[in-house]
């Protein structure tokens, strides 16, 4: 399961590092020590929290694109069968849904708590991972 350090979680939620520390201290988020001894938050738990409180995060991909509608967020749900997958991403206050092949969703590692960027061009939604 993906885990995010305090500063990464803060960037995804659009809040300060201190705010995330307060969320951990209050029990609103559960903090765990990572391999380096730093506090980290479980991606799925962070995704659930992001669904309830939302602000936009900076695009971490650094990719140039003609698509101007790029939304950084956390995967909150993936429903897949043998052929297709429905992926939901909470991007700040916005919920973005993408339909893609199950193979693509698996190759991108899309599961609740994963960091993703929804790129919207015309009627197409492309999901990229950093």
């Amino acid at each position: 399961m993906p885990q995010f350090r305090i500063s990464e979680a803060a960037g995804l939620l659009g809040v300060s590092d201190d705010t995330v520390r307060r969320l951990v201290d209050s029990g609103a988020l559960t903090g765990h020590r990572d391999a380096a001894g730093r506090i980290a938050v479980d991606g799925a738990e962070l995704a659930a929290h992001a669904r309830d409180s939302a602000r936009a995060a900076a695009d971490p991909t650094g990719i140039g694109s003609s698509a101007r509608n790029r939304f950084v967020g956390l995967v909150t749900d993936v429903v897949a069968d043998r052929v297709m997958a429905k992926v939901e991403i909470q991007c700040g206050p916005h919920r973005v849904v993408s339909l893609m092949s199950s193979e693509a969703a698996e190759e991108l590692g899309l599961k609740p708590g994963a960091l993703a960027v929804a790129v919207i061009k015309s009627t197409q939604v492309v999901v990229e991972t950093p």
Side-chain angles (χ1 to χ4, degrees):
M1 180 56 61
Q3 292 202 352
F4 297 94
R5 293 189 320 250
I6 294 290
S7 62
E8 293 170 320
L12 290 167
L13 295 177
V15 299
S16 71
D17 293 8
D18 288 339
T19 297
V20 175
R21 285 188 192 94
R22 283 192 292 275
L23 290 169
V24 169
D25 290 344
S26 71
L29 291 174
T30 306
H32 305 280
R33 296 278 176 186
D34 65 11
R38 295 175 291 204
I39 296 176
V41 177
D42 176 73
E45 184 178 352
L46 188 62
H49 182 80
R51 194 180 291 171
D52 297 329
S53 61
R55 295 193 185 152
D59 186 343
T61 62
I63 296 173
S65 177
S66 64
R68 297 295 176 240
N69 300 312
R70 301 174 67 81
F71 302 99
V72 179
L74 292 166
V75 175
T76 56
D77 192 32
V78 177
V79 178
D81 62 17
R82 289 183 19 185
V83 178
M84 296 299 293
K86 178 186 74 143
V87 179
E88 293 185 22
I89 306 170
Q90 190 67 39
C91 304
H94 307 287
R95 176 179 162 262
V96 178
V97 178
S98 177
L99 300 177
M100 66 184 71
S101 70
S102 293
E103 180 181 28
E106 184 176 324
E107 285 178 5
L108 290 171
L110 298 176
K111 54 188 168 189
L115 177 64
V117 179
V119 181
I120 300 170
K121 181 75 174 183
S122 187
T123 59
Q124 299 293 323
V125 176
V126 178
V127 176
E128 302 170 339
T129 56

